[in-house]
Amino acid sequence: QVQLVESGGGLVQAGGSLRLSCAASGRTFRSYAMGWFRQAPGKEREFVSAISSVGGSTYYADSVKGRFTISRDNAKNTVYLQMNSLKPDDTAAYYCAATRALSGLTIKERYYYWGQGTQVTVSS
């Protein structure tokens, strides 16, 4: 079992930046790939970014590539999402998730542990 707690969301003007953090429980954190997903009201939860268990591979949705950066610090049991050049379309609740899967990390069905979400609102 893995427990995940997100933080760092807030209200920001378009063009601004935020860094989201996800703190994970357990000493086996380094065994899990981690993903970030987001969900706006009335829409499906969608993939944003993912990082492999050792941090050697990263993945990004086309909509955020070049603006967002995912990273992890296994010593701190934490994964981060640095979000730059934010747009109003980035407004959503952001969730971190964990999986032992080695492939298909862009697919939300591969994840079985989820955080509570943190709200990001980007004003125009």
Side-chain angles (χ1 to χ4, degrees), residues 17 32 49 58 60 67 72 108:
S17 298
Y32 291 85
S49 187
T58 58
Y60 297 94
R67 300 187 297 121
R72 67 190 295 159
K108 61 180 180 292

Side-chain angles (χ1 to χ4, degrees), residues 13-16 63 67-68 84-91 121-123:
Q13 294 282 153
S63 59
R67 300 187 297 121
F68 291 10
N84 298 327
S85 301
L86 283 162
K87 305 174 180 179
D89 284 349
D90 295 319
T91 296
T121 302
V122 184
S123 61

Side-chain angles (χ1 to χ4, degrees), residues 1-120:
Q1 294 288 329
V2 176
Q3 291 184 308
L4 307 172
V5 180
E6 300 110 328
S7 62
L11 175 65
V12 65
Q13 294 282 153
S17 298
L18 287 172
R19 188 177 76 159
L20 305 184
S21 299
C22 178
S25 65
R27 62 180 180 86
T28 60
F29 171 76
R30 62 185 178 275
S31 299
Y32 291 85
M34 302 293 297
W36 286 97
F37 294 78
R38 66 188 183 187
Q39 187 168 23
K43 298 180 66 176
E44 292 287 319
R45 191 168 298 186
E46 66 176 0
F47 169 76
V48 176
S49 187
I51 187 166
S52 61
S53 59
V54 298
S57 299
T58 58
Y59 309 86
Y60 297 94
D62 289 343
S63 59
V64 307
K65 193 171 185 179
R67 300 187 297 121
F68 291 10
T69 302
I70 191 170
S71 62
R72 67 190 295 159
D73 186 339
N74 286 347
K76 297 181 179 179
N77 281 11
T78 302
V79 63
Y80 305 95
L81 186 68
Q82 178 67 46
M83 306 187 296
N84 298 327
S85 301
L86 283 162
K87 305 174 180 179
D89 284 349
D90 295 319
T91 296
Y94 283 71
Y95 300 86
C96 65
T99 180
R100 285 190 175 272
L102 299 177
S103 63
L105 300 184
T106 67
I107 304 170
K108 61 180 180 292
E109 287 79 11
R110 302 302 299 272
Y111 294 82
Y112 35 83
Y113 300 114
W114 294 85
Q116 84 289 350
T118 185
Q119 180 67 37
V120 172

